[in-house]
Amino acid sequence: KWEYPADPPSDDDYEDLLVTQIKTETLGMRYGTDNGEIKIAANVLYDADFLPHWNEFAEALQEYQHAIRCLPADTSSSFSVWNVELPPAVLDLLSNALESTHFKILHLQDNSFGQAGIQFSLNYMQNNPNLEAFHMSQNPFENIDDVNRLCSIIKEHPSIHTIQLTACCGDEVNDYNMLCSIMTAGTSRLKTIDLSNGRISTGGSTFVPDFLKSNPILEFLALWKNNFVDEDANLIAKALKHNTNLKCLDLDNNDLTDVGWEMLLKAEFDPTSLNSAADSNHTCHILSQFEFNADQNSKIYRCYHSGAVRQKKIYSLLSLRNRQCSNVQYFDDIPVELLPDMLSSIQQYSEYHCGEDAPEQDDKDTNVLSIVFEVMRRWDGSFSVYEAANNCSA
């Protein structure tokens, strides 16, 4: 029976945590008790005493290639190392171990590994045809050659669909150019791009709105905590009128004023009229600073069926007008012959919250009968005339 041979942890709490995690993951891979998710997370710098433990971990990781191939196809296998310094000696061990151990997700955060670590990450991405998501945080790209190599890999990779590079632009790399290059390389591949917590400033360039207007397959774009301004918001809002694929846009913590936010939110829901509400973007949800789940320390992402979202917006406007008793003034030019169709449509819109992937019912919605009654009052004086006309024709 195999036993973990490395020395026990030290007396330091953080080092103890790291070594304990390495040992736990090593045993999990050796005995098959893991679930395909390998994660090391401890806020600790490297010490030479860790090397025997990393060696045991790497040997188990290499053998794990056989087990990972037997996981169910829908398992999102992942390899993550967070807030742990990875010096060249450890990178070499991991590089050899991961050569044939192909996870679907790679997540490296704040590893203080410099360009050697960037090359290690890009090598793994290039040599792993199963990799679907590439997450890097606080591991900066320090030269444009590495960015160009990343984009070349994205363009040719058979499986990659998610790129997250949070606070990953070094002083020698222009954040905006990096974003544009990644968008170009991933036009037909990437569904998620996250370049948050950077220094992105468009300088008046229209590349981002032009890209969104072209309606690429991109579904999630996160650019929070950058330097987008109101003019950028205006152009992006206009681009969203032509985009039916983007599901979520996060521009929180940029240099937007209330004017910029109003333009963006109006692209998502323009309540000026029923027609403008119907013509709004019903696919994309624009995240605001108020959508944050404090319990889970994460933002609230919503994704609903676009048809149900359209219905909800129309019914929301009908409900608002009903509370003001103002619906009828917008129906003066509608002939009474269309009344049955109108009432049927109102009933249909009120059921937006029913069905799969439907949004929750808004507690501000008025009862559908209240809207029907309001509409019927508009034509009550016309019914006798209409009835008389029908009797005459009979």
Side-chain angles (χ1 to χ4, degrees), residues 111-174:
N111 305 116
S112 304
F113 51 30
Q115 189 181 19
I118 298 296
Q119 291 298 318
F120 158 79
S121 306
L122 295 178
N123 288 340
Y124 185 68
M125 181 181 180
Q126 185 171 28
N127 297 324
N128 178 2
N130 299 333
L131 191 69
E132 298 176 355
F134 182 80
H135 300 271
M136 293 270 280
S137 178
Q138 301 176 62
N139 288 315
F141 283 68
E142 296 292 355
N143 64 73
I144 192 63
D145 290 337
D146 290 337
V147 175
N148 291 337
R149 186 185 174 200
L150 169 65
C151 294
S152 296
I153 296 172
I154 292 172
K155 193 173 183 179
E156 302 297 331
H157 201 282
S159 304
I160 197 74
H161 58 66
T162 295
I163 295 292
Q164 180 188 38
L165 300 173
T166 306
C168 281
C169 276
D171 294 335
E172 301 302 318
V173 174
N174 182 287

Side-chain angles (χ1 to χ4, degrees), residues 315 318-319 322 346 366-375:
Y315 195 74
L318 288 171
S319 294
N322 177 254
I346 292 173
T366 58
N367 191 294
V368 64
L369 290 178
S370 179
I371 300 177
V372 169
F373 178 72
E374 180 191 8
V375 172

Side-chain angles (χ1 to χ4, degrees), residues 18-35:
L18 174 61
V19 172
T20 299
Q21 288 189 21
I22 292 176
K23 181 177 180 179
T24 299
E25 295 293 354
T26 299
L27 294 174
M29 288 186 286
R30 288 286 189 182
Y31 295 136
T33 57
D34 64 273
N35 58 358

Side-chain angles (χ1 to χ4, degrees), residues 155-361:
K155 193 173 183 179
E156 302 297 331
H157 201 282
S159 304
I160 197 74
H161 58 66
T162 295
I163 295 292
Q164 180 188 38
L165 300 173
T166 306
C168 281
C169 276
D171 294 335
E172 301 302 318
V173 174
N174 182 287
D175 300 53
Y176 180 66
N177 290 341
M178 185 176 188
L179 171 63
C180 296
S181 297
I182 290 173
M183 283 181 160
T184 301
T187 299
S188 60
R189 295 186 180 277
L190 296 182
K191 293 188 175 183
T192 297
I193 296 177
D194 184 347
L195 262 69
S196 300
N197 197 11
R199 309 178 302 265
I200 298 176
S201 176
T202 66
S205 168
T206 63
F207 180 89
V208 173
D210 290 344
F211 178 80
L212 294 177
K213 185 177 180 179
S214 70
N215 203 24
I217 66 170
L218 186 67
E219 296 180 354
F220 183 96
L221 179 60
L223 298 169
W224 56 267
K225 204 173 182 181
N226 278 289
N227 301 118
F228 287 87
V229 296
D230 286 347
E231 181 57 28
D232 299 318
N234 179 38
L235 294 173
I236 290 173
K238 292 179 180 178
L240 290 178
K241 294 183 179 295
H242 306 275
N243 190 297
T244 59
N245 289 322
L246 192 67
K247 295 180 179 180
C248 187
L249 174 64
D250 188 353
L251 287 173
D252 192 18
N253 279 313
N254 274 271
D255 297 332
L256 303 181
T257 68
D258 290 343
V259 174
W261 278 111
E262 182 179 357
M263 289 185 286
L264 286 171
L265 296 176
K266 201 169 184 178
E268 183 181 0
F269 179 22
D270 184 354
T272 305
S273 68
L274 289 175
N275 285 335
S276 66
D279 293 338
S280 300
N281 185 307
H282 307 300
T283 308
C284 182
H285 173 55
I286 299 172
L287 286 169
S288 70
Q289 58 184 329
F290 304 107
E291 296 176 290
F292 189 84
N293 188 325
D295 293 334
Q296 299 181 11
N297 194 34
S298 63
K299 293 191 174 182
I300 303 171
Y301 302 125
R302 303 199 304 262
C303 183
Y304 303 123
H305 187 276
S306 59
V309 172
R310 179 179 181 272
Q311 287 180 287
K312 178 175 182 176
K313 292 172 184 176
I314 293 175
Y315 195 74
S316 174
L317 186 53
L318 288 171
S319 294
L320 174 63
R321 291 176 175 177
N322 177 254
R323 291 192 293 272
Q324 301 168 346
C325 295
S326 62
N327 270 315
V328 293
Q329 67 181 342
Y330 297 98
F331 299 147
D332 287 339
D333 58 344
I334 297 179
V336 69
E337 293 89 346
L338 295 180
L339 181 59
D341 293 330
M342 179 184 295
L343 297 179
S344 176
S345 296
I346 292 173
Q347 177 66 39
Q348 180 181 354
Y349 293 143
S350 72
E351 297 172 351
Y352 67 83
H353 52 88
C354 304
E356 190 176 354
D357 296 329
E360 296 181 0
Q361 186 173 17

Side-chain angles (χ1 to χ4, degrees), residues 20-122:
T20 299
Q21 288 189 21
I22 292 176
K23 181 177 180 179
T24 299
E25 295 293 354
T26 299
L27 294 174
M29 288 186 286
R30 288 286 189 182
Y31 295 136
T33 57
D34 64 273
N35 58 358
E37 298 180 5
I38 309 302
K39 181 178 179 180
I40 305 294
N43 190 14
V44 61
L45 297 176
Y46 178 71
D47 188 290
D49 291 340
F50 299 154
L51 194 57
H53 299 280
W54 280 118
N55 188 65
E56 294 299 328
F57 177 81
E59 289 182 4
L61 189 60
Q62 188 168 20
E63 291 298 321
Y64 190 62
Q65 63 177 289
H66 307 292
I68 205 171
R69 293 169 185 162
C70 299
L71 292 173
D74 59 349
T75 300
S76 296
S77 57
S78 61
F79 180 78
S80 305
V81 182
W82 295 0
N83 306 322
V84 176
E85 183 180 7
L86 299 177
V90 176
L91 289 176
D92 288 343
L93 289 173
L94 295 179
S95 180
N96 292 329
L98 289 169
E99 186 173 348
S100 299
T101 307
H102 294 163
F103 293 91
K104 292 182 180 180
I105 300 172
L106 176 67
H107 195 159
L108 300 174
Q109 174 177 305
D110 195 13
N111 305 116
S112 304
F113 51 30
Q115 189 181 19
I118 298 296
Q119 291 298 318
F120 158 79
S121 306
L122 295 178

